Amino acid sequence: MTVRELDAAGIHDPALRAAYAHCRGLNARHGKTYFLATRLLPVDRRPAVHALYGFARWADDIVDDLDSSATPAERGRALLALEAQLEAGLRREGATEPVIRALADTARRYGIDRVHFTDFLASMRSDLTVGGYASYEELGRYMHGSAAVIGLQMLPVLGTVTPREEAAPHAAALGVAFQLTNFLRDVGEDLDRGRLYLPAELLTAHGVDRERFEWSRRTGARDARIIDVLRAAAAHNRAVYRDALPGIAMLAPVSRPCIRTAFVLYSGILDSIEADGYAVLHRRSVVPRRRRAVVALDGLVRAVAARAVSRRGEEAPVAEPSCASPSPRPHVAPVREEAL
């Protein structure tokens, strides 16, 4: 399947093909939900998404790898080295790192503004020194670089049926919505890293503080006030998903099934968190495998239909059905990779 993707994308240089294949491997191993949704894109667009994911993953691992004994100063130097490699790659100075090779090629092919990459790295650097945020406004400034720009990077790859600047705010909102979901799901793990992405103003409104969260994480004890904070954070997250939703209809028809599937799966994590009683300080909530299969199959049906319309040269309707979760089916046959 990698060969098919690279051929369809017109990527023929052996070293560049190897670089893209490396990024695809990172996506498949570490970004299971993201990778599943990417499989619904037309084959020629997938390598670019793998490259964007690979770069984000590399930077995130420098900052967040709990198995590494690197100090914050050493991690900071690694990020600076990564940024220097990125700049060299974007200047066509023969980058040797596979991820940078693929990313620089993707940026050139799709005209992705380099500021989106530098803004991303700026937010990654702040993670080395900032462990919390006073307000949603302050957190939003951080998430512009860590999440909103991811949506903006993706937009040229996905394509739009409206002017790109009209779709951009919704793409940025979807990146933020996904990251807020990750923050809520991973709140316990982030505390272990010395960070809390729930604003202090939210905790104060419910009569708790960071120390109470750390106590709950450490002891396994529950606190109704903490649950209230997490419930309020989930409600805020759902509102951001609603802001992002109109953007799906602005995408190229062949890209909508991919983003719709990611939307349903990621917002479904909030449903799982709620079903688990907001126990995220003590265990990670996941979308059940059967549920993932149902959503993936629904996305596959939509993707095949969209590609058929595209091949016939017909104009697909702009309106996109609601992203409410599809109804469960009594039996879901496994989806073979060759079909995607």
Side-chain angles (χ1 to χ4, degrees), residues 1-339:
M1 181 58 73
T2 304
V3 170
R4 181 181 169 219
E5 291 175 354
L6 295 171
D7 288 346
I11 301 167
H12 303 299
D13 176 78
L16 196 54
R17 287 169 73 92
Y20 274 105
H22 175 74
C23 292
R24 184 184 188 276
L26 291 174
N27 196 348
R29 284 195 303 277
H30 301 292
K32 290 181 170 48
T33 297
Y34 198 75
F35 183 74
L36 176 62
T38 301
R39 306 290 295 131
L40 301 176
L41 281 175
V43 290
D44 62 316
R45 305 189 193 198
R46 296 176 198 171
V49 178
H50 298 322
L52 293 172
Y53 178 89
F55 177 73
R57 180 75 200 189
W58 187 1
D60 191 64
D61 281 348
I62 290 174
V63 173
D64 281 343
D65 186 2
L66 288 173
D67 294 327
S68 171
S69 60
T71 65
E74 290 169 336
R75 293 175 193 261
R77 287 194 290 273
L79 281 177
L80 287 174
L82 173 58
E83 186 165 18
Q85 292 177 58
L86 171 66
E87 289 298 323
L90 292 174
R91 291 195 302 266
R92 297 177 179 265
E93 294 180 1
T96 57
E97 288 289 347
V99 171
I100 298 299
R101 274 180 174 267
L103 181 77
D105 183 69
T106 288
R108 286 191 290 268
R109 285 172 183 264
Y110 289 95
I112 301 172
D113 193 331
R114 68 175 59 197
V115 73
H116 297 326
F117 304 119
T118 55
D119 285 353
F120 173 76
L121 289 174
S123 284
M124 292 300 97
R125 281 195 296 273
S126 76
D127 273 334
L128 298 176
T129 56
V130 179
Y133 296 88
S135 64
Y136 270 119
E137 180 180 1
E138 189 176 295
L139 180 63
R141 289 193 290 272
Y142 163 80
M143 286 194 296
H144 166 76
S146 65
V149 297
I150 303 298
L152 298 175
Q153 292 168 21
M154 284 282 294
L155 202 54
V157 179
L158 298 172
T160 62
V161 295
T162 63
R164 191 179 297 172
E165 59 270 21
E166 184 179 343
H170 301 289
L174 189 57
V176 170
F178 287 167
Q179 185 165 65
L180 285 170
T181 299
N182 285 340
F183 286 163
L184 194 56
R185 180 195 62 192
D186 300 337
V187 63
E189 296 174 21
D190 286 332
L191 274 175
D192 295 341
R193 298 183 178 101
R195 297 189 217 116
L196 183 62
Y197 294 104
L198 299 173
E201 66 179 5
L202 178 62
L203 274 62
T204 300
H206 294 276
V208 294
D209 54 20
R210 180 177 180 137
E211 287 70 28
R212 193 65 175 173
F213 270 73
E214 292 169 344
W215 165 83
S216 179
R217 174 67 171 173
R218 184 175 64 253
T219 64
R222 305 291 297 276
D223 186 313
R225 294 169 299 175
I226 288 177
I227 293 175
D228 287 342
V229 170
L230 299 172
R231 185 180 290 113
H236 175 82
N237 195 170
R238 291 188 190 280
V240 180
Y241 276 113
R242 288 193 293 272
D243 289 341
L245 180 56
I248 295 178
M250 299 178 185
L251 299 176
V254 292
S255 296
R256 292 176 202 163
C258 164
I259 302 306
R260 180 188 184 279
T261 297
F263 187 108
V264 173
L265 287 174
Y266 262 92
S267 59
I269 294 173
L270 297 179
D271 298 331
S272 297
I273 290 171
E274 181 180 7
D276 289 343
Y278 297 94
V280 288
L281 280 168
H282 314 117
R283 64 176 180 270
R284 172 181 275 216
S285 297
V286 297
V287 177
R289 183 174 298 177
R290 174 180 169 81
R291 180 77 188 124
R292 286 164 54 89
V294 168
V295 174
L297 183 57
D298 180 78
L300 175 59
V301 171
R302 292 170 182 268
V304 170
R307 291 174 205 171
V309 169
S310 178
R311 283 193 295 269
R312 292 196 301 268
E314 299 175 7
E315 184 175 348
V318 173
E320 173 71 7
S322 166
C323 278
S325 301
S327 301
R329 302 176 186 181
H331 173 71
V332 179
V335 179
R336 297 192 309 139
E337 181 171 321
E338 296 91 319

